[in-house]
Amino acid sequence: MLLQDVLLLDSSMEKAQPCDLVLSGPVIDSILPPRSSSLPAEFDGKGSVAVLPGFVNAHSHAAMTLLRGLGEEAPLMEWLQEKIWPVEARLRPEHVYWGTMLALLEMLSGGITCFADMYFFMDQAAEAARQSGMRCALCRGLVGSDEKKLEEGVALVRRFHEPLGMIHVQLGPHAIYTVPPEAFREISMTARDLGVGIHTHWLETEWEAGYIREELGKDPVDLLFEVGLSEVPHAILAHGVWFPEDRLEPLAGGNMAVAHNPNSNLKLGSGIAPVPSFLEKGIRVALGTDGAASNNRLDIWDEMRTCCLLHKGFRRNPCTVRAAEVLRMATLDGARALGFEDVGLLKPGWQADLALVNLDKPHYVGATPENLCASLVYSGSSADVEGTLAGGKWLFRKGRYETLDERAIIHQARICRKELLEG
Ligand code: NI
């Protein structure tokens, strides 16, 4: 398949590269000078379409699209205990299926090709992901020290985990304040033995940091190692807002990645993660949206822009958290965090997970190959995405979904929401 006369940009490039991009099945075959390929063009960018690696949403609870708008502007624990958990107690498998589908519509339209998801009834999420053609890393959220839930998590691994395929499964201890340390360690050791990753929440709130120090009597960085998170193939630490900045060295260069969710952290008043320090210390940072009940968008463009602006303003330093760094977080480092080794760069042999961006718009006048990365991050938005491909297949093209029935999904999601709210 030939994508003709497009501008390639990934986080390893200093500037965008005009080219013909040739795909072969699920992977990138070759990158040729523009209009030099003799293949028939499947798509002609006419020099004004950027091709980026598909975006990776490294922390989400996809089916929470059904809970969007519940309990706005409430403190986190009150929001969870009074608004979210009572509704979640009524969830049935079909709710998770349609809620996930609703999330996939939104993510695909913004160029997201891969997502990490923690929730319940994850066989339903896996089915939705498979039908959509998206890449993902799924886990059943585990709370308490319930062996039966861990068995469900393991069963999900056995049923859906494809190390070289589109679906990865991880184990998902919800957080250290909902899973006792001994049970957490058992989950990590199970993941290690299965050869799968861990996805958890870590240090989202100041309250949680206090709980770790006062109730558990631990240092929050030492505790990561005590519960076995350094021993699994890869671990996603969602949020990481309250990491002590003088204790970051042990996290660098290893298997752990922080999934930074700037909009959720701002909306829930959780605080501002020390992202400039993570980057200085060489800690892998990915970007996530969190669930639609706490954001409320599933839009990585919005996270990229907020991430760049927030840390510049907070540190009073316009040079920190640069556009090129945030593009890497949203693509390559997200894919690595989810355990995908050949996703996130535009290179021959790498997976053809792509976001196509229409640059023929007013806000891109003045964009050049040299400044394209900053143009996209600061001037662009998800509304500019004109195509999304994963594994070499079109999933979204010019406003239409190739694998999903948009009208049917919205209709079913409305029914599910009504059922959940009315009990
Ligand atoms: Ni979360």
Side-chain angles (χ1 to χ4, degrees), residues 272-382:
I272 297 174
V275 170
S277 301
F278 292 151
L279 296 176
E280 274 162 32
K281 297 281 192 299
I283 295 165
R284 181 171 295 143
V285 183
L287 276 184
T289 59
D290 210 355
S294 60
N295 185 311
N296 297 357
R297 300 176 182 170
L298 305 180
D299 183 340
I300 284 291
W301 293 75
D302 198 29
E303 302 302 326
M304 290 199 295
R305 185 174 151 87
T306 300
C307 179
C308 274
L309 299 184
L310 170 66
H311 300 294
K312 287 173 171 62
F314 189 54
R315 299 287 169 125
R316 288 177 285 172
N317 176 5
C319 305
T320 196
V321 189
R322 309 183 83 98
E325 292 174 305
V326 88
L327 179 63
R328 191 182 69 223
M329 291 180 206
T331 55
L332 180 66
D333 282 354
R336 291 266 161 84
L338 274 59
F340 293 101
E341 297 293 327
D342 57 353
V343 173
L345 291 177
L346 303 174
K347 287 185 171 180
W350 283 52
Q351 294 294 317
D353 291 12
L354 309 173
L356 277 55
V357 182
N358 180 7
L359 302 177
D360 189 18
K361 294 204 165 191
H363 49 278
Y364 290 119
V365 171
T368 64
E370 288 74 21
N371 70 15
L372 185 62
C373 185
S375 289
L376 292 165
V377 169
Y378 296 118
S379 313
S381 80
S382 54

Side-chain angles (χ1 to χ4, degrees), residues 109-226:
S109 71
I112 294 174
T113 52
C114 180
F115 64 102
D117 193 28
M118 176 195 292
Y119 215 52
F120 324 108
F121 302 117
M122 293 305 286
D123 55 326
Q124 301 294 313
E127 206 48 59
R130 187 184 270 171
Q131 286 175 27
S132 74
M134 286 175 76
R135 196 178 300 280
C136 59
L138 309 175
C139 66
R140 191 215 192 285
L142 304 171
V143 293
S145 41
D146 184 343
E147 286 291 330
K148 191 167 154 286
K149 287 192 185 124
L150 178 54
E151 280 167 28
E152 284 176 32
V154 171
L156 194 76
V157 173
R158 297 233 156 86
R159 189 164 161 209
F160 291 103
H161 181 62
E162 308 165 337
L164 300 176
M166 300 294 280
I167 298 183
H168 282 184
V169 181
Q170 304 170 324
L171 295 185
H174 169 263
I176 196 65
Y177 61 93
T178 50
V179 181
E182 315 75 56
F184 204 119
R185 182 163 177 88
E186 187 192 344
I187 296 167
S188 298
M189 293 305 100
T190 307
R192 184 193 64 184
D193 295 344
L194 291 166
V196 300
I198 290 276
H199 183 175
T200 189
H201 296 89
W202 203 267
L203 290 173
E204 178 173 4
T205 61
E206 192 171 19
W207 173 86
E208 181 183 339
Y211 174 86
I212 290 173
R213 289 192 192 283
E214 284 146 35
E215 299 295 320
L216 301 178
K218 300 287 186 185
D219 171 274
V221 172
D222 292 342
L223 188 56
L224 284 170
F225 291 83
E226 283 177 36

